[in-house]
């Protein structure tokens, strides 16, 4: 329909019979910048690591969910792990590769690491360029201290849980 006519679908689904089509928002012509053409929901298995070594706990599994709208991936993940190994803490296994533009690092809306977070500090995360890896950093309350990658010393000697949510951009 054209003009001022609404479209109502009272049964069934609305889908496009060919690729490269989508819903045009806020424009009168079909331009890529205004077309919503990708939506997906799903699960993924985050793998907590120190450096390149997996530290997945054998007793509790890690799990994640995501929603991808166009090029933005929103995620929530719970990681259960045993503290062992060396290197920076990271989580692999994210469902889509991030884009290669440095200014689009992930924003982690929240990161929770049990009672291990130092008083006055907060945790942030970034998904590296063209990667499926989330790196977690400790940001100290004192502005004179620098942001540091989290290592096993941050967590202590016991198994722990880390909960993280946020978003990052992909190239497609």
């Amino acid at each position: 329909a054209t003009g001022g006519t609404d479209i109502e679908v009272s049964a069934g689904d609305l889908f496009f019979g060919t690729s490269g089509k989508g819903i045009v928002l806020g424009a009168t012509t079909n331009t890529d910048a205004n077309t919503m053409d990708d939506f997906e929901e799903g699960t993924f298995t985050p793998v907590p690591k120190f450096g390149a070594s997996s530290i997945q706990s054998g007793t509790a599994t890690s799990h994640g969910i995501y929603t991808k709208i166009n090029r933005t991936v929103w995620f929530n993940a719970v990681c259960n792990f045993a503290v062992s190994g060396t290197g920076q803490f990271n989580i692999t296994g994210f469902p889509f590769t991030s884009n290669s533009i440095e200014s689009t690092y992930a924003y982690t809306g929240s990161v929770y690491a049990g009672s291990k977070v130092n008083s006055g500090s907060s945790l942030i995360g970034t998904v590296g360029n063209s990667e499926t890896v989330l790196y977690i950093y400790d940001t100290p309350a004192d502005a004179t201290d620098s942001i540091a990658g989290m290592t096993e010393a941050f967590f202590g000697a016991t198994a722990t849980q880390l909960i993280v949510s946020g978003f990052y951009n992909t190239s497609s």
Side-chain angles (χ1 to χ4, degrees):
T2 60
T5 305
D6 293 336
I7 298 174
E8 177 183 335
V9 177
S10 57
D13 295 322
L14 177 63
F15 67 93
F16 301 97
T18 172
S19 65
K21 302 297 180 193
I23 300 171
V24 177
L25 302 171
T28 57
T29 61
N30 187 351
T31 58
D32 285 345
N34 296 326
T35 302
M36 188 169 87
D37 57 1
D38 190 4
F39 179 87
E40 182 179 329
E41 293 179 316
T43 61
F44 67 100
T45 303
V47 180
K49 295 182 175 185
F50 283 118
S53 301
S54 175
I55 54 172
Q56 182 73 45
S57 172
T59 59
T61 60
S62 297
H63 56 277
I65 59 172
Y66 70 89
T67 300
K68 182 176 185 277
I69 303 172
N70 286 348
R71 293 181 304 205
T72 303
V73 180
W74 297 87
F75 63 86
N76 294 297
V78 176
C79 295
N80 297 290
F81 56 95
V83 179
S84 64
T86 59
Q88 182 178 351
F89 182 80
N90 64 82
I91 303 169
T92 64
F94 279 79
F96 298 94
T97 301
S98 66
N99 68 16
S100 61
I101 302 170
E102 186 173 352
S103 63
T104 58
Y105 280 130
Y107 165 75
T108 51
S110 61
V111 179
Y112 171 76
S115 61
K116 303 293 184 185
V117 177
N118 298 325
S119 177
S121 68
S122 60
L123 302 178
I124 60 170
T126 62
V127 175
N129 293 338
S130 300
E131 292 186 341
T132 59
V133 181
L134 176 71
Y135 300 94
I136 306 292
Y137 297 90
D138 181 20
T139 59
D142 184 351
T144 61
D145 290 337
S146 60
I147 295 174
M150 288 175 37
T151 64
E152 66 284 354
F154 177 86
F155 293 102
T158 60
T160 192
Q161 181 180 73
L162 185 129
I163 302 169
V164 61
S165 63
F167 64 88
Y168 66 98
N169 290 322
T170 67
S171 58
S172 61

